[in-house]
Amino acid sequence: MTFDCYSRRFDWIFGAGYAACAAFLCYRSVFGLVSAVLIIPLYHKMREAERIERREQKLTKQFCDTLQAVSASLRTGASIERAFADAQKEIVRMHGNEAEFTCGLTIVNKRVQMNEPLEEVFLKFAYRTQVPEIISFAESFRYAKRSGADMPHMIRTVVDRVGEKEMILENIRTMVSAKRMEQKLMLLLVPGVLLFVTVSSPEYTKALYHSLPGIVLMTGCLLGYLFAAWWGRRIVKIRV
């Protein structure tokens, strides 16, 4: 079983834990537990989006490193097919044999050795990655190779563009990292205060449970909390 499978299994476990906490803090009833179960798929979806984002970042970095290696080989006079084969060795050294882009590039080079067109094979690989930068390059690469364009210049241009974008994104991530931490602390503060008051002075929160007005109020608070968590994540998620 792969690490991602374990990670997804733990997502359901942690989601169930959050649902149980929400049921305890907001309802204190079996009905509340059933309602709070809706949190589990929401948490799983959030974690899946985070995994996709991290995967896209890794693939983009490996893609940029590959193009830099290809560009270096082209400057020595190698053909484009030979440059991609040389780039595979460099990517293995930098990211290892198990990296997703390394595996894909290995398949691309093997199919090129079987006399399949490099541009077509790489385009199919790019579509499988589902990364916009890689797909855009693959489509441009196919057109440029068939039209006899200046490949070294094209690849250097793409490397500069992707590298500049990654640098901007890294600066943004650094600037918003403190805000992300503040957001996480605020999300922990609200249920933490409610738990403290509930445990230390249960008479203050007794009216919130086992009554229709209390259930309606706590349901509104829970929905508002979930919306605030979702909106906070959207604010600090910046795309370039």
Side-chain angles (χ1 to χ4, degrees), residues 186-188 190-191 220-230:
M186 291 300 296
L187 290 176
L188 289 174
V190 175
C221 291
L222 178 59
L223 293 176
Y225 177 82
L226 293 175
F227 176 79
W230 172 80

Side-chain angles (χ1 to χ4, degrees), residues 28-81:
R28 306 272 186 90
S29 66
V30 176
F31 167 78
L33 183 60
V34 172
S35 301
V37 165
L38 296 175
I39 295 175
I40 299 177
L42 294 177
Y43 177 78
H44 178 72
K45 184 177 181 180
M46 178 193 72
R47 294 289 296 168
E48 190 67 24
E50 290 178 353
R51 270 191 293 271
I52 293 173
E53 183 179 359
R54 287 196 299 269
R55 173 183 175 271
E56 185 174 319
Q57 291 174 5
K58 288 181 180 179
L59 284 175
T60 302
K61 177 66 170 62
Q62 294 164 11
F63 166 66
C64 189
D65 291 339
T66 298
L67 290 190
Q68 288 176 344
V70 169
S71 179
S73 293
L74 290 175
R75 285 197 296 268
T76 65
S79 66
I80 187 65
E81 287 80 7

Side-chain angles (χ1 to χ4, degrees), residues 10-29:
F10 281 120
D11 286 348
W12 291 106
I13 294 174
F14 281 117
Y18 288 133
C21 291
F24 173 77
L25 290 174
C26 298
Y27 298 108
R28 306 272 186 90
S29 66

